[in-house]
Amino acid sequence: MKNIILSITLILFYLSNVFSQIDRTEPPAPGPAPDIQISDFESFELKNGLKVFVVENHKIPRVAYSLIFEYDPILEKENAGMVSIAGDLIGTTTTSRTKEQLDEEIDFIGASLSAGSSSAYAAGLKKHNKKILELMSDVVLNSTFKQEELDKIKTQTISGLKAAKNDPNSMSDALSSVILYGKDHPYGELETEESVNSITLDMCEKFYKSYYKPNIAYLAIVGDITKKEAEPLIKQYFGEWEKGEVPEKIYQPKKIPSENKVVMFDRPNAVQSVIKVEYPVELKVGSEDYIKASVMNTILGGGTYRLFQNLRETHGWTYGAYSRISSDKLTGSFMAFTSTRNEVTDSAVYEILAEIKKLRTDKVPEDELQRVKNYLSGNFALSLERPETVARFALNIERYNLPADYYKNYLKNLNAVSADDIFEMAQKYMKPEDAYIFVVGKAEEIGNNLSKIDTDGKIEYIDENGNYYEPKIITAELPENLTAQDVINKYIEAIGGKEKLDQIKSIHATMIMTIQGMNLNVDQYVQEPGKMAMLVKMGENIIQKQVVNGDKGSMSAMGQTQELTGNDLERYKLQTYISLESKYEELGFKTELKTISKVDGEDAYVVDVTMPQGDLIKEYYSIESGLKLKTEAEVEMQGMQIQQVTTISEYKDFDGVKFATKMTQSLNQQSTDIAIENIELNTEIDENIFE
């Protein structure tokens, strides 16, 4: 069993293309604020209410069309995720074109076309203008939805949700919105597997027909085109688009908490904590406070400033620490965030709160304020090199009812911000004693110290579905004199017994691995002593092969072969054992019985297994049946930390030995379902497979 799980882990690691890069460079010292001239734009409006803005840029013969829909957020309730999925369906097919035809026509002219729940975009060479607009208008006006496309998107969405449950940053992002706004607010709704499964084709079609209306749409045109050229084209392709009444929603602004509240999402195997200090704010786009509040936030953590300098440079607790203050027509938010080691989690929170308090008690020195204003001025100037920025300004002025000269006066207003203004903004928007302190981490290790930061001294707990709960204290005590080896021995007996396992000299397992709706066929061959091969196929084509033969191993993919060395090779060599658990002591594994936990409501013994390479794996064994239910691990592979959680179920008998036939594995942010179709024991294996 262990060798199958390890094999899948290594497949997913090498198949995945998820790499994170951390920018640790310091920006150059900014110069004085430049004198900026913003290009003009022209606009017109169709009879159906579509507002159009044209920004000329004749440097290259290319035109881009960006369509934005402005509607009130939708409370989706038990169907959370519907709007996003409906957006993914838009443009998959139309009344006159299949998805394949759309893709082919776009590719033929070298253009791009995409659509979503609140926008659509098309771009290409000017000589293809009419074709681009023909295709874009077909998608916007005539999209049709197919059940098979919906099923595919739902499968991919659910796969992403499964992966997110085991990624601390993803869980932090999702649950922080629940904490900030509540599940009764459109910004606080949480997609779940159940809510996604409830979404129907009718719901998606109703959304599209209700909200894709020209009278709430804004079209920005940027490129080698004039208003005189654009107007007849837009009338030709969008003039017959019928306007309609769009549902309006009213939501009450969310208020900040009246005290500091610590909320935790417990990850028992975590060695790091993801921290967010957050609360809602009432800050509107273009308000008198907006620029001043942005400067204040930049000083705190809008770049490599106070939070960064404190937590990274002074204390060395993190790679980065930042903050942001967001404006919104409903409810904005403030957030300071970082990730750090368990042992300094509470200290990092104290330092974040201290920096926030400092803005309220000490005026910002003039030289620091000027550096930040120069930095923001420089960024603003650089943004103006992109014509898309001018188009965005035009849309914002219209959408948010800003003064016509709002952006032309931006630098003047920015440079006028004073230390007194920052002090005033801090009194208004910095709330170090009225915040949610949300931490994703190991509650057992960090909870006690964090409770001292909570005003009431009591931590609230939130689960993966955004529900608050009281953590259950497991009262069951470990039986006296029970050891980890006793638990493992019971497992070995439960799957067939050591004598039966020792008689197995070869295994051929066939399985289907499903990643984001795509099925891969996998064949695994194990022959003792010391041989293993795993073939990953797409159809009949082998896309990856892993081989261990004695003291040598390799991994081949896409015509490239990589020899395995060091710890990577040692991990692969462990896959050559038929029943690895029965050989833990022989191979130098260290095991320790830790506690009793629950896996999907079932009581389980938790055993820490330390591999010879130093990797720690937590294994969960059913107290009742003895069968393994789950494993959790965090290992280093090729310099990357790989977090892996595998749930194990549906044991079936193959020639007197039980094997789990279903596994769901989350590897970092990638979730995969594995279904074993058949296992053949002690069959002859062609030696060439191991070459």
Side-chain angles (χ1 to χ4, degrees):
M1 180 59 59
K2 171 76 74 175
N3 59 327
I4 292 176
I5 294 173
L6 287 174
S7 298
I8 297 299
T9 299
L10 293 163
I11 284 178
L12 295 178
F13 172 72
Y14 286 108
L15 281 178
S16 66
N17 190 28
V18 181
F19 298 97
S20 61
Q21 295 182 339
I22 301 170
D23 183 8
R24 306 178 187 180
T25 59
E26 289 280 357
D35 183 18
I36 298 298
Q37 296 296 322
I38 299 177
S39 302
D40 290 324
F41 60 85
E42 294 186 275
S43 63
F44 59 92
E45 184 174 337
L46 301 189
K47 291 181 180 180
N48 58 15
L50 177 64
K51 298 177 177 63
V52 186
F53 303 85
V54 182
V55 179
E56 296 183 35
N57 178 32
H58 302 288
K59 293 181 180 179
I60 56 175
R62 183 176 174 83
V63 184
Y65 300 87
S66 299
L67 187 67
I68 295 176
F69 295 91
E70 183 75 20
Y71 54 83
D72 293 330
I74 301 168
L75 189 62
E76 302 171 84
K77 298 182 179 179
E78 66 274 8
N79 309 122
M82 182 275 295
V83 171
S84 175
I85 287 177
D88 290 338
L89 280 170
I90 296 170
T92 52
T93 56
T94 70
T95 53
S96 59
R97 292 177 172 90
T98 65
K99 185 177 188 303
E100 291 72 22
Q101 289 172 325
L102 280 168
D103 292 341
E104 183 178 343
E105 291 187 55
I106 283 293
D107 290 343
F108 185 75
I109 60 175
S112 58
L113 174 63
S114 61
S117 60
S118 60
S119 64
Y121 175 83
L125 294 175
K126 181 179 180 179
K127 65 181 181 180
H128 299 307
N129 239 345
K130 288 191 174 183
K131 188 65 175 179
I132 292 168
L133 287 170
E134 176 193 334
L135 293 169
M136 183 181 187
S137 62
D138 193 25
V139 164
V140 172
L141 276 65
N142 306 314
S143 276
T144 58
F145 299 166
K146 303 296 183 184
Q147 186 65 45
E148 56 266 29
E149 288 294 332
L150 174 60
D151 292 341
K152 185 189 303 181
I153 293 169
K154 286 167 67 172
T155 297
Q156 293 171 344
T157 302
I158 289 170
S159 177
L161 292 175
K162 289 179 179 179
K165 289 179 180 179
N166 295 294
D167 175 56
N169 290 300
S170 296
M171 292 307 298
S172 178
D173 291 342
L175 294 174
S176 66
S177 296
V178 178
I179 294 166
L180 271 173
Y181 303 108
K183 296 172 73 173
D184 59 345
H185 191 281
Y187 293 170
E189 291 189 296
L190 192 66
E191 292 181 29
T192 65
E193 187 171 344
E194 291 74 24
S195 71
V196 171
N197 277 325
S198 74
I199 296 167
T200 66
L201 207 62
D202 286 343
M203 294 176 190
C204 297
E205 289 173 342
K206 183 179 179 181
F207 165 81
Y208 168 64
K209 292 175 181 177
S210 298
Y211 290 91
Y212 252 55
K213 297 296 183 183
N215 43 299
I216 61 164
Y218 304 83
L219 178 63
I221 307 173
V222 178
D224 187 17
I225 193 169
T226 65
K227 176 189 173 186
K228 184 178 180 180
E229 293 173 302
E231 193 162 359
L233 286 171
I234 301 306
K235 287 179 179 178
Q236 177 183 350
Y237 290 102
F238 293 97
E240 299 303 315
W241 189 7
E242 293 185 3
K243 65 181 179 180
E245 186 175 343
V246 177
E248 295 182 355
K249 311 288 184 181
I250 298 176
Y251 304 99
Q252 295 300 317
K254 289 297 176 179
K255 296 181 179 179
I256 65 172
S258 58
E259 57 189 9
N260 279 344
K261 294 182 179 293
V262 176
V263 182
M264 278 211 66
F265 177 72
D266 187 18
R267 297 186 74 244
N269 204 36
V271 297
Q272 285 194 330
S273 302
V274 180
I275 301 168
K276 284 187 168 74
V277 176
E278 58 183 3
Y279 47 84
V281 297
E282 291 189 38
L283 181 64
K284 305 296 183 182
V285 178
S287 72
E288 184 179 348
D289 289 348
Y290 180 74
I291 293 176
K292 301 173 187 176
S294 297
V295 176
M296 173 196 66
N297 177 71
T298 303
I299 291 168
L300 177 65
T304 55
Y305 292 101
R306 290 188 176 185
L307 289 176
F308 186 95
Q309 292 295 324
N310 184 327
L311 274 72
R312 174 180 165 163
E313 300 300 329
T314 301
H315 289 100
W317 291 339
T318 181
Y319 285 126
Y322 307 96
S323 67
R324 65 169 178 261
I325 191 164
S326 303
S327 59
D328 188 86
K329 67 177 184 179
L330 291 186
T331 302
S333 65
F334 168 80
M335 180 182 296
F337 51 97
T338 191
S339 297
T340 191
R341 305 187 308 277
N342 286 356
E343 58 267 28
V344 295
T345 298
D346 60 316
S347 300
V349 173
Y350 278 117
E351 290 300 324
I352 291 172
L353 295 175
E355 291 293 351
I356 295 173
K357 290 176 184 177
K358 186 177 178 181
L359 282 170
R360 291 176 56 89
T361 57
D362 301 343
K363 287 189 178 180
V364 177
E366 286 295 335
D367 59 340
E368 182 182 12
L369 175 59
Q370 191 59 51
R371 285 197 304 271
V372 168
K373 290 196 294 186
N374 289 349
Y375 166 73
L376 292 174
S377 297
N379 284 348
F380 185 78
L382 288 174
S383 74
L384 294 178
E385 296 179 2
R386 301 185 297 273
E388 294 83 359
T389 299
V390 179
R392 176 168 54 84
F393 289 169
L395 293 179
N396 287 348
I397 288 170
E398 181 68 30
R399 291 170 67 193
Y400 303 117
N401 196 29
L402 303 179
D405 59 357
Y406 178 82
Y407 291 103
K408 289 186 177 181
N409 289 331
Y410 176 84
L411 287 183
K412 180 181 73 175
N413 292 330
L414 173 63
N415 288 328
V417 175
S418 66
D420 287 338
D421 292 328
I422 301 301
F423 192 76
E424 179 189 355
M425 292 299 99
Q427 309 308 310
K428 190 171 184 179
Y429 295 109
M430 294 289 95
K431 305 295 181 182
E433 296 177 353
D434 303 300
Y436 295 110
I437 293 97
F438 177 41
V439 180
V440 176
K442 186 175 182 179
E444 179 185 6
E445 194 167 311
I446 64 178
N448 185 53
N449 287 338
L450 285 175
S451 66
K452 300 172 185 176
I453 302 173
D454 188 283
T455 302
D456 291 339
K458 188 176 185 298
I459 294 177
E460 294 184 74
Y461 288 83
I462 193 168
D463 66 18
E464 61 191 23
N465 294 319
N467 299 316
Y468 289 91
Y469 69 96
E470 287 289 336
K472 294 180 180 179
I473 300 174
I474 299 175
T475 56
E477 295 183 359
L478 289 170
E480 190 175 355
N481 298 324
L482 183 72
T483 68
Q485 191 59 50
D486 293 333
V487 174
I488 294 168
N489 288 341
K490 183 178 179 179
Y491 165 72
I492 293 169
E493 288 301 315
I495 63 174
K498 190 174 187 306
E499 182 178 351
K500 186 73 174 179
L501 292 170
D502 287 344
Q503 294 172 7
I504 304 173
K505 299 304 177 184
S506 70
I507 288 180
H508 174 205
T510 57
M511 61 194 89
I512 295 177
M513 185 166 61
T514 304
I515 307 177
Q516 293 188 346
M518 178 179 66
N519 289 338
L520 300 174
N521 297 313
V522 181
D523 282 272
Q524 184 182 25
Y525 302 87
V526 179
Q527 181 172 295
E528 291 189 345
K531 295 180 180 179
M532 184 281 299
M534 180 165 279
L535 283 63
V536 183
K537 302 176 183 178
M538 184 177 291
E540 294 301 316
N541 298 318
I542 298 175
I543 62 173
Q544 187 184 79
K545 182 177 181 180
Q546 302 170 8
V547 172
V548 175
N549 195 335
D551 289 327
K552 294 183 179 180
S554 64
M555 195 271 303
S556 302
M558 301 181 67
Q560 303 292 321
T561 298
Q562 177 182 341
E563 297 299 322
L564 298 169
T565 59
N567 282 342
D568 287 343
L569 175 59
E570 295 304 314
R571 291 189 186 96
Y572 270 88
K573 286 167 69 173
L574 294 174
Q575 300 172 61
T576 66
Y577 293 95
I578 302 295
S579 175
L580 186 60
E581 291 87 351
S582 66
K583 297 179 173 63
Y584 276 172
E585 290 183 311
E586 174 186 337
L587 296 173
F589 283 70
K590 296 179 180 178
T591 59
E592 182 182 1
L593 181 60
K594 298 295 290 185
T595 187
I596 294 174
S597 185
K598 284 186 180 292
V599 178
D600 293 331
E602 185 171 357
D603 288 337
Y605 291 123
V606 182
V607 176
D608 278 2
V609 179
T610 304
M611 300 169 68
Q613 297 77 27
D615 301 334
L616 174 63
I617 301 176
K618 285 188 178 295
E619 298 185 336
Y620 295 74
Y621 293 90
S622 168
I623 292 178
E624 182 178 353
S625 69
L627 296 173
K628 188 181 297 186
L629 305 177
K630 184 173 74 168
T631 67
E632 297 176 347
E634 183 168 326
V635 300
E636 182 177 326
M637 298 179 68
Q638 295 189 346
M640 294 176 59
Q641 287 298 121
I642 306 300
Q643 294 180 328
Q644 172 220 332
V645 177
T646 305
T647 56
I648 306 161
S649 61
E650 296 195 19
Y651 282 80
K652 293 183 180 179
D653 188 280
F654 295 90
D655 294 335
V657 178
K658 288 185 173 67
F659 289 86
T661 59
K662 284 198 175 179
M663 290 170 274
T664 296
Q665 185 171 95
S666 296
L667 186 65
N668 279 359
Q669 299 185 37
Q670 180 70 63
S671 180
T672 302
D673 293 323
I674 303 111
I676 294 179
E677 295 188 311
N678 190 41
I679 293 178
E680 297 176 352
L681 305 179
N682 291 325
T683 58
E684 187 174 348
I685 300 175
D686 186 346
E687 289 292 327
N688 291 325
I689 288 176
F690 302 112
E691 297 298 326

